[in-house]
Amino acid sequence: MASEDSKLTPEIEGGDRASLRHSLLGPSLLKAGQDKVDQKKVGEIIYNASKGSKFFKHEERRDQQLTKRIEIIQRRKKHLESLDLSSQIRRVDEEIAASEASRDLSQIIVHVDCDAFYASVEELDRPELKEVPMAVGGGVLTTCNYKARGFGVRSGMAGYIAKQLCPQLVFLPLSFHKYTAKAEEIREILVKYDGRYEAASVDEAFLNITGYLEDHRDTTPDKVVEQLRREVLEHTKISVSAGIAPNARLAKVASNQNKPNGQFRIPNDREAVMHFMRTLPVRRVNGVGRVFERELDAVGVRTWGDVFALRGILSKLFSKKAWSFLLNSYLGLGRTCIHPVAEYERKSLGTESTFKDLSGPGPLRDKLRSTAQELERDLLAANLAGRTITVKVKLHTYQVHSRQKALHRVISSAEDLYNHALPLLQELEGEFQPFKIRLMGLRVTQLSSTRKGTGKMNFFKNLPQSIEGEAEWEAWPEGSLDGLLSSGHLSQEVQDEEQLAIEEALNASLNMPARDTPQDPSPPPKMVLKERWECPICARSLPADDAVFNEHVDFCLSRETIREVVQESAGVRLVKEPERKKDAKARPGRPGSKHGGMDSYFPKLQ
């Protein structure tokens, strides 16, 4: 298995622009049903089909950013290799010993995952679709059946690319009411085996069947799960796959081993767990995406067994949270506490949608209002209100931008959400011209309960997109701000070196001196302008030019804000505007701004 997956890493693949081709394969590369697909051929088709598009240019830019970051990581690794890390290794070994002492092998955790759920539900109404390649969704595929996966088609793929891979592909529109109804039928069966099961999404759930086994001592975990899967299939006509393991992390990995309509067990034995993880490719664990996989591959980590030999270096290369994730995954450790999602503490609540390119004041405001109404419904259902609101958009160029505002009171109504989000949307409209977007999202943080007599409330929607703890540093919005790759999972030293490289490149493009070079009192003529704007983050005085100002602010956001965003377990942290001297004169804002340039983007914390 390890050798099969490792063929997909960009460094092994080789060839011109191999890393970009690998990235274009998308996040669902390891979805079940593609074991026999020639991924290199699929990658070539995707590359040629998307070449020249806005999506391609966006991915190309991200790939270039990642390539530069990896060069920095490798330089840092080389430096660490020249040092005596024996004391660091001893500390890590102590950490491993402490983690081992906490290992819990007493629980039997099951992860149940429906097979191509949306497609399977559609096939119940139209059985003839079982024999042809079929996908659900339009512009972007939500899922597809196993016939389509045999052609390299997968969820998250653009429809026009899927059509090139499989010309006979049949497209069906989404029917959420059918999926929700079928999910409820499945849950009526799950609750028999664990009354406190945890719905991870509409088509998957975690169960702790330890109690069930104690009440039915004449059976085994494998037989219980076989019985559960058989009962689901008989009553709902939907097949499910399952993973059985000592904890939730391993159970989720195991559920993908024998898809579709199969099950796999990792025994409750330390040696069995360590043996399984030793050869498991890092991408197989939830929380490792395309970017993190490539970074790990660049330093020699392709399977989880590689972590131990490099433990001294990895613990210095990555942040404390990321290193903890790597260590726990290597050891095969994970949570064993399974309970209803309503008992999790919610730190933020939001909604977003993707659509065809949208522009113009009218359509944009209509979309913002409908998004606010959708968020209002979720907040009302959760009995929650928020004090900080964030607007997120993805431009037609695939760059993601986000603006937020701290409020003097909590809000939850659609009218309040719309009224407070509109100025933020207008700020974005003024920043980026032409302003055409393909995604809009609204999110509130600093949540409080609206129930009388209560403060903050523990709540998760019935169908959460993710459970906290699985991949905490990949937080909304998309783990990054303003379209730049996040780096919060890296050590502070690596982040600092990357920031310096970005700043030097930016300064060079602006014809400005580097960070450690004295300021030239006589800048070039083209920099001498009557008006100058101050960056609200670093307070640097900049020429009164939109392009220059925006590029610099985006850089500052990447340096100051992304680190905070990624390190937060949920939501987006506010950025304080720099303190000013009491006797400083107010500087003019940018043209067309009511609030003094960029200051309104970064309100002070109360």
Side-chain angles (χ1 to χ4, degrees):
M1 178 177 62
S3 59
E4 184 70 24
D5 286 331
S6 62
K7 293 177 183 177
L8 302 176
T9 57
E11 282 67 25
I12 291 179
E13 180 189 332
D16 182 39
R17 310 189 79 177
S19 60
L20 178 57
R21 283 176 164 82
H22 179 70
S23 178
L24 289 171
L25 286 170
S28 302
L29 178 60
L30 298 182
K31 282 282 189 180
Q34 302 186 81
D35 301 342
K36 298 179 181 179
V37 175
D38 184 348
Q39 298 292 356
K40 190 172 182 179
K41 182 179 179 181
V42 171
E44 194 66 28
I45 292 174
I46 296 175
Y47 183 91
N48 292 327
S50 57
K51 195 171 184 179
S53 67
K54 295 167 186 173
F55 167 75
F56 182 91
K57 292 176 182 176
H58 174 72
E59 289 297 311
E60 186 177 39
R61 183 167 56 252
R62 285 173 57 88
D63 182 70
Q64 291 169 352
Q65 291 175 6
L66 181 55
T67 298
K68 291 177 182 177
R69 176 191 296 172
I70 285 175
E71 291 172 357
I72 293 171
I73 292 173
Q74 290 175 326
R75 284 200 301 271
R76 178 66 179 166
K77 183 196 174 195
K78 187 175 181 179
H79 171 68
L80 290 171
E81 288 173 335
S82 68
L83 304 178
D84 180 7
L85 295 178
S86 55
S87 60
Q88 177 67 14
I89 290 174
R90 283 196 298 273
R91 282 194 291 270
V92 170
D93 288 344
E94 291 172 0
E95 190 178 353
I96 291 175
S99 297
E100 280 288 1
S102 70
R103 187 187 293 274
D104 183 1
L105 296 171
S106 65
Q107 305 298 301
I108 306 294
I109 309 300
V110 179
H111 180 252
V112 176
D113 192 6
C114 299
D115 300 319
F117 183 56
Y118 290 3
S120 297
V121 173
E122 296 294 347
E123 288 173 350
L124 294 179
D125 292 337
R126 296 179 58 183
E128 73 276 7
L129 294 176
K130 293 181 179 179
E131 305 304 320
V132 299
M134 178 266 286
V136 178
V140 177
L141 306 188
T142 304
T143 191
C144 58
N145 64 8
Y146 285 88
K147 289 282 185 181
R149 295 184 190 192
F151 290 86
V153 177
R154 56 186 71 111
S155 60
M157 178 176 281
Y160 76 93
I161 291 178
K163 200 71 174 176
Q164 292 205 27
L165 290 170
C166 181
Q168 65 270 40
L169 186 66
V170 176
F171 291 88
L172 293 182
L174 288 159
S175 302
F176 286 111
H177 65 284
K178 291 196 294 187
Y179 312 144
T180 303
K182 186 59 65 175
E184 286 302 320
E185 292 179 29
I186 295 171
R187 289 172 186 159
E188 289 173 4
I189 297 169
L190 299 184
V191 74
K192 298 177 184 178
Y193 296 87
D194 181 9
R196 290 175 55 77
Y197 74 89
E198 183 177 297
S201 71
V202 71
D203 64 344
E204 60 179 322
F206 289 98
L207 299 86
N208 187 335
I209 62 171
T210 308
Y212 184 92
L213 288 165
E214 290 175 353
D215 295 337
H216 301 79
R217 295 184 179 275
D218 58 340
T219 188
T220 66
D222 299 84
K223 289 181 179 179
V224 169
V225 174
E226 285 177 6
Q227 176 183 308
L228 182 154
R229 291 176 43 247
R230 183 169 56 250
E231 194 173 346
V232 170
L233 183 60
E234 289 175 355
H235 287 78
T236 70
K237 310 305 178 186
I238 297 293
S239 69
V240 298
S241 296
I244 314 166
N247 58 63
R249 173 174 283 136
L250 293 179
K252 185 168 178 64
V253 174
S255 67
N256 202 47
Q257 296 296 107
N258 285 328
K259 270 184 165 288
N261 196 24
Q263 62 186 62
F264 183 86
R265 184 181 180 190
I266 302 173
N268 286 46
D269 173 79
R270 180 189 178 278
E271 291 304 317
V273 169
M274 295 299 293
H275 177 76
F276 177 81
M277 296 304 297
R278 192 172 296 122
T279 57
L280 185 74
V282 292
R283 183 74 176 269
R284 291 280 182 179
V285 172
N286 189 43
V288 179
R290 290 172 289 174
V291 171
F292 200 17
E293 176 195 31
R294 190 176 160 202
E295 291 172 344
L296 291 171
D297 182 78
V299 296
V301 178
R302 290 177 178 167
T303 68
W304 289 106
D306 296 328
V307 169
F308 184 77
L310 294 167
R311 61 194 185 282
I313 291 175
L314 294 175
S315 60
K316 300 287 284 183
L317 274 178
F318 294 98
S319 69
K320 184 177 179 180
K321 182 179 288 186
W323 164 242
S324 178
F325 169 79
L326 291 174
L327 180 59
N328 286 331
S329 296
Y330 156 70
L331 294 172
L333 300 177
R335 62 188 180 92
T336 57
C337 182
I338 304 298
H339 50 74
V341 293
E343 296 178 12
Y344 281 93
E345 181 181 357
R346 187 92 199 198
K347 295 187 177 181
S348 67
L349 191 60
T351 183
E352 63 181 47
S353 60
T354 303
F355 35 80
K356 293 182 179 180
D357 288 359
L358 191 68
S359 62
L364 287 170
R365 280 147 185 75
D366 289 344
K367 174 57 67 175
L368 181 64
R369 189 171 291 281
S370 64
T371 304
Q373 290 168 349
E374 184 176 345
L375 182 54
E376 177 193 48
R377 287 193 292 270
D378 292 341
L379 288 167
L380 287 174
N383 294 295
L384 292 172
R387 190 180 292 274
T388 300
I389 187 167
T390 303
V391 175
K392 168 189 170 185
V393 299
K394 181 183 287 186
L395 301 181
H396 65 294
T397 56
Y398 289 84
Q399 291 177 305
V400 178
H401 298 265
S402 180
R403 296 290 181 264
Q404 68 175 22
K405 179 181 180 182
L407 311 174
H408 66 281
R409 63 183 177 88
V410 295
I411 61 171
S412 61
S413 71
E415 192 64 25
D416 281 342
L417 293 167
Y418 176 83
N419 289 336
H420 286 290
L422 182 58
L424 301 179
L425 179 64
Q426 290 172 329
E427 294 281 9
L428 287 164
E429 284 181 293
E431 281 289 303
F432 306 101
Q433 294 295 332
F435 190 70
K436 292 192 293 184
I437 64 173
R438 52 182 288 110
L439 176 148
M440 180 183 289
L442 270 184
R443 179 163 294 256
V444 291
T445 53
Q446 292 186 286
L447 299 178
S448 297
S449 174
T450 55
R451 290 177 175 173
K452 292 183 178 180
T454 60
K456 289 194 173 182
M457 173 188 176
N458 290 337
F459 178 82
F460 248 98
K461 293 176 68 177
N462 288 334
L463 307 175
Q465 294 179 354
S466 64
I467 296 298
E468 189 164 340
E470 292 297 307
E472 289 181 326
W473 60 87
E474 296 183 3
W476 192 91
E478 295 189 355
S480 65
L481 212 75
D482 291 314
L484 298 172
L485 289 171
S486 62
S487 59
H489 61 290
L490 301 172
S491 70
Q492 191 60 57
E493 292 81 4
V494 175
Q495 290 187 58
D496 288 344
E497 188 172 348
E498 181 180 25
Q499 290 162 10
L500 180 59
I502 294 171
E503 185 170 301
E504 288 174 346
L506 178 61
N507 286 340
S509 69
L510 297 178
N511 198 18
M512 295 171 70
R515 182 187 296 180
D516 297 325
T517 305
Q519 184 81 22
D520 185 353
S522 303
K526 67 176 183 178
M527 298 292 288
V528 179
L529 298 174
K530 292 182 179 179
E531 183 182 3
R532 298 181 72 82
W533 298 330
E534 180 182 284
C535 173
I537 303 169
C538 71
R540 173 177 287 177
S541 177
L542 297 166
D545 178 89
D546 276 330
V548 171
F549 188 81
N550 290 340
E551 187 174 9
H552 176 85
V553 170
D554 280 346
F555 157 69
C556 278
L557 284 169
S558 73
R559 182 177 60 185
E560 301 292 340
T561 307
I562 289 179
R563 183 187 309 157
E564 298 181 0
V565 172
V566 180
Q567 289 175 343
E568 285 288 328
S569 60
V572 184
R573 187 187 296 177
L574 282 173
V575 179
K576 294 183 181 179
E577 63 180 23
E579 294 183 2
R580 307 181 190 278
K581 295 181 179 179
K582 292 182 179 180
D583 59 347
K585 293 182 179 180
R587 291 176 173 83
R590 298 181 54 224
S593 172
K594 298 178 182 179
H595 308 290
M598 295 289 289
D599 289 353
S600 59
Y601 292 172
F602 310 102
K604 291 181 178 178
L605 288 172
Q606 306 212 351

